[in-house]
Structures are given as structure tokens and as C-alpha cells.
Amino acid sequence: MTGLRLDAPRSGWAIAADVVVVGSGVAGLTAALRCAASGRKTVIVTKARLDAGSTRWAQGGIAAALGEGDTPGQHLDDTLVAGAGLCDEGAVRTLVTEGPDAVRRLIGAGARFDTSAETGEIALTREGGHHRRRIAHAGGDATGAEISRALVAAVRDAGIETVENALVLDLLKDAGGHAAGVSLHVMDEGRHDGVGAVHAPAVVLATGGMGQVFSATTNPAVSTGDGVALALRAGAEVSDLEFVQFHPTVLYLGPDSEGQQPLVSEAVRGEGAYLVDADGERFMAGQHELAELAPRDIVAKGIMRRMRERGADCMYLDARHFGARMWSERFPTILAACRAHGIDPVTEPVPVAPAAHYASGGVRTDLAGRTTVPGLYACGEVACTGVHGANRLASNSLLEGLVFAERIAADIARTPARVPVPAEPGDPAGTRTVPLPPAEARYAIQRTMTAGAGVLRSADSLARAARELAALSPDGTGDRAGNSAGGRAGKPAEPGVETWEAANLHLVAGVLVAAALRRTETRGCHWREDHPERDDETWRRHLVVALRPTAEGSELVVRTTDSTAFPPVMDGGTP
């Protein structure tokens, strides 16, 4: 057996291409545009509409050393500090060095950033962890929406073929194990419907995050870890999945609120808002030299500590001193979201609490975006380039997607074209079908992960989460990484979008818990209450996880790297 796949009908239609890009955020659209510009026939597959990628939810901005006196070296230093000793320095250097020109090319593609009325230059702001004003923003707090608008327009102008409302299922491979396309399910009537395939020798995963593995998140409902799960089933390695960043200031809507929650951008604190408790006392001053602008893991921990001390469900962000004009001009999106929920930040503090926001880990890649499966690339939040380490620096995510998408396209352009000859994914000699959990397992997974693997973790909470996840395993195999054994959850469910998403969430949740159990320290956004100190001697290295098929089901294989640098994805130049 060479791989695993979701239980799904056989493909009823197919498209041929040179490159298939899965995802339509900044990473996916940039990769598609660059590949098409190099003469490669490119097809974009996206889970919703072309203009509905996760990028459009980004409020704060994109970080790059564009301001007077700022340098890539200073940006590198801030990124390394935020990453809590676990960044791959070579990857960070690539990001900050190539970032400014990548942003300028984005502007050349039509993106319009806010400018200073006095100088006409790009208006830059600060966010947590940055010692310089280097965050370019658009529409006040609608940066992602503007970037998405510009790139979508460019894709449409270029005439790139797009398959919308399509959930990617699994990677197709040829007889030699090289990527040969993807299988997918189109959820709407149109030119294509039902399960089909895009045959292509280069597959670029840009599927975004996996925030829906938790009950409350800033991620949209489509962020169900599809790309990471696909890569795992295909035999690719993932890394750093234990480092899930919980954004410290998410609008608190009550203890029972679930699903996507409104984000209150870090840029609000960058412009001078304070974090206070119910008595109006600032509590981040004295905890870090940057106070409210400390890296996100430190601010999230500070909020959680004060919540526990006071027995409170939330803290407050006080920006009443901004005044009505600044709120309406600089943060119109946030102002509207707050008022829609009965809160007026002009006249009252905004209730906030941490919620799942960003996966610092993902599918392991090299600096060309190549994974450990030949022909399979990854960029954006689905990827783990080593840039973010144990905690992402604010507004580095859009930049990472931009820079590494360009590097992927350059690598594909250098690679001799080949004709994919995919093996039929239903071939029993080549793959084993993964049974599906029922659709309602999604909510059980989210509750389990929120309780056991959220901001605060311990051996007990994680072991309990592992047991509960194992009990949800439809084939009764649970997690064979040595964490638990579980019982059969009942007859596997019928194939469909909801059960495929539940299967993806179940898989990525299992990997996250296995890695979080293994890492017995507190580092970045991984906070172990039973191991409160950072342990550089033992744990200044990455956990790398792969899923391997077995005669009985599958098992997670976990290993550690020797240093903060990732080992090459290719041995001796051969994938």
C-alpha cells in the first residue's frame, strides 16, 4: 500500500493542466498568476468563490521593511524574537529580504494601500512584536479584502480557468509516486458537478488554515484543514502543528458562541488602544517591554492569566480616546462589527478574549515550496516554511504567502514540463480507503480540542483529548502515535462534503494533539501548564509527523529534527 484516500466516488470528469493551484487567497492567486505568466496552463480550484479566500478576512495589513530607517535585518530580528527560538533563520531571511519587492509587485498588480496625506507614501503602522512601523494597510482595516480584489481581477484578466465551490479530496500520483493532480468534489451545479479530477504534474496547496478544529475561531467555516489532511494521506510530512496561534483580541460574544468570531485587529493596539480588566486597570504594562504590543503569544497568555485571576470570561480593549472620527476612518470594519453586536467602541471598552486564529505549522516545505512528495508544493497558512517558528509575528502571514508563492512559481517554471499519468485513486493496489466519521463528529472534535488543546494545555487535558478523538475514529484505530487507543465510533458515514470535512478535522486534530503531548515545554503559542518553562536544550527543534498506512489502518510517525533548521525535502537532489 502506498497511500490513503477518503472514501469517495470515482471521478466522473477531468481537466488537464500543467499546474493546479488549490486555494484562492494571496498565496494561491499569486502562484497561479506567476505560473500562468510563465506559460504553464494553470487551473485554480477553490472551496468557495474565487473572491472568498481567507485572505479577505485579514484586517491589519502586510509587513515589510518599506519605511524610512527600517531594514530587512530589523524585520528579521523581530520575527526571530516572536518565533521563540524556533524559526528557520534562512527562511526568515528569505522572507524579509524578498518581501519589500514582492509588495511592490503586488502594488503593480493593482493593490491600493492607504497613503499618507502629507507625503503620499504608503502609510505604515505598528502591530505586536514590531519595533518599527512597517505594516502597510488598505481601507483602514480591510487590507485582505483589497489584496484579494486586486489579485482576483488580475486572475480574471489573465483568463485563468477556475473551478469554484470545489472541495479538494486527495492527491493523485503517477506510478512513480510523483504528483499527478487532485480529485475534488464540486458542490454547485455548473460546468462540472460531483466528483472529478484535475490532472497536472504540479500541485500547489494554498488551502489556508484549520481554525475550525476549535469551537471558536477567526477562520471562516471552510477552514477545515483540508490541505494538511490531503498532504498527510499522500505521505507528505507536516511540522509544528502544535503551534496554533490564538489571537488575543477577538470580540467576546458570550460563553456559548461558536464558529467564526469577529476579529479586533492588532492594529487597534498598534494605534494606542489599551488592554484593561473590568476595573479599568492595564495589566500588560510591566509584563513585557512592548506592553500591549508584545508578541501575540505573550499577550494571549497575559489575558488568560488575568481572566483566571479575576474569574472573568473576558478582558477589555479600551480605545475610547480614539474618538469617533478615527474609529470610522481607520477601523470602519471593526467598528461596524462591534456595533452589529451591540457594542460601541467609541463610548465603551470592547470585550475581548483569545480565539484560534492561525496555524504556524503545516505541510513541511523547503525554500522553493517543495514538500516531501515530488510535484506537491505548499504555500501560505497550509505550509510550514520555518518562518513562523513557535509563534507568527503579526502581519507576516500575507507576506509569507506572497513571497513563497512567487518562489514556487519560479521553481515550476524551471522544471521541465511533463505529462501526468495519474493512477486511478480507487485502485486497491495503490491506496487504502479511509472510513468517514459522521458529520456531527465535527462538533465533538471542536469541543474536545477547545477543552483539551486550547490556549492552556497539560498532559492530562491532552491525553483526554487523545482518548476522545480515538473514540471518534470510524475504523476504531484511533491514534497509533502512542497516545491512546479508542473504540469504534459506529458504522462509517456516507461520503459527502460534511463527512469529508469531519474526516479532515479529525486527522489534523489527532496530529496536533500528538505533537502537543510530545512537546513537554512551554514555547511560543504552545503553553503547557505542567511544563511552564522553555527547554532549549531538549526542545529547540521541530517535530515532524507523517501518516503511514498499516495493515489495520494507519499510524502517525513522529520524529524530531536535530536543530531549528528543517532537513532537506530532497535527498541528493532527487525527490
Side-chain angles (χ1 to χ4, degrees), residues 172-234:
L172 305 180
K173 296 182 182 180
D174 63 19
H178 191 284
V182 293
S183 58
L184 61 150
H185 174 80
V186 179
M187 296 174 278
D188 264 2
E189 296 289 337
R191 178 181 170 191
H192 305 290
D193 189 33
V195 174
V198 179
H199 297 161
V203 176
V204 181
L205 295 179
T207 53
M210 56 183 208
Q212 289 292 326
V213 79
F214 294 97
S215 296
T217 176
T218 62
N219 291 190
V222 295
S223 297
T224 51
D226 307 324
V228 171
L230 174 150
L232 282 164
R233 288 191 297 270

Side-chain angles (χ1 to χ4, degrees), residues 249-285:
T249 55
V250 176
L251 186 63
Y252 179 70
L253 301 179
D256 299 323
S257 59
E258 294 183 338
Q260 186 178 9
Q261 310 289 299
L263 176 66
V264 181
S265 171
E266 200 151 305
V268 177
R269 281 175 281 137
E271 295 292 354
Y274 306 127
L275 279 167
V276 299
D277 59 21
D279 296 327
E281 181 180 347
R282 288 181 66 185
F283 54 87
M284 284 305 300

Side-chain angles (χ1 to χ4, degrees), residues 409-470:
D411 189 73
I412 291 173
R414 289 190 297 265
T415 304
R418 56 189 289 163
V419 178
V421 184
E424 170 56 50
D427 180 1
T431 58
R432 190 181 70 79
T433 299
V434 176
L436 303 174
E440 56 269 23
R442 174 177 184 144
Y443 305 103
I445 293 165
Q446 291 171 332
R447 289 191 292 270
T448 290
M449 294 298 288
T450 297
V455 179
L456 304 179
R457 303 168 178 175
S458 68
D460 288 344
S461 76
L462 290 165
R464 183 173 62 252
R467 289 192 298 271
E468 292 175 3
L469 290 172

Side-chain angles (χ1 to χ4, degrees), residues 303-321:
I303 291 173
M304 293 298 295
R305 287 193 187 101
R306 183 54 66 102
M307 285 167 56
R308 288 198 299 182
E309 290 170 2
R310 297 299 176 92
D313 292 328
C314 67
M315 289 290 110
Y316 298 88
L317 193 63
D318 192 350
R320 289 174 290 180
H321 52 286

Side-chain angles (χ1 to χ4, degrees), residues 47-198:
K47 196 172 180 181
R49 301 184 316 277
L50 186 63
D51 60 356
S54 293
T55 290
R56 74 186 183 98
W57 297 100
Q59 294 176 345
I62 185 167
L66 298 167
E68 184 178 353
D70 197 7
T71 65
Q74 293 175 67
H75 190 181
L76 180 142
D77 290 343
D78 285 346
T79 300
L80 295 179
V81 169
L86 209 62
C87 297
D88 182 320
E89 187 168 340
V92 178
R93 194 172 300 280
T94 297
L95 177 82
V96 300
T97 302
E98 298 181 9
D101 283 343
V103 172
R104 294 183 185 103
R105 285 190 289 273
L106 181 61
I107 294 170
R112 298 188 293 264
F113 291 98
D114 296 339
T115 56
S116 166
E118 290 79 23
T119 66
E121 299 294 323
I122 295 175
L124 300 172
T125 189
R126 281 182 66 195
E127 291 184 356
H130 293 273
H131 284 78
R132 289 275 189 176
R133 297 180 74 89
R134 65 168 65 98
I135 316 299
H137 50 84
D141 58 358
T143 309
E146 170 57 19
I147 291 174
S148 179
R149 180 206 62 76
L151 292 176
V152 166
V155 163
R156 288 177 172 154
D157 288 346
I160 298 174
E161 184 173 357
T162 303
V163 183
E164 296 182 298
N165 301 304
L167 170 64
V168 67
L169 299 176
D170 283 301
L171 184 72
L172 305 180
K173 296 182 182 180
D174 63 19
H178 191 284
V182 293
S183 58
L184 61 150
H185 174 80
V186 179
M187 296 174 278
D188 264 2
E189 296 289 337
R191 178 181 170 191
H192 305 290
D193 189 33
V195 174
V198 179

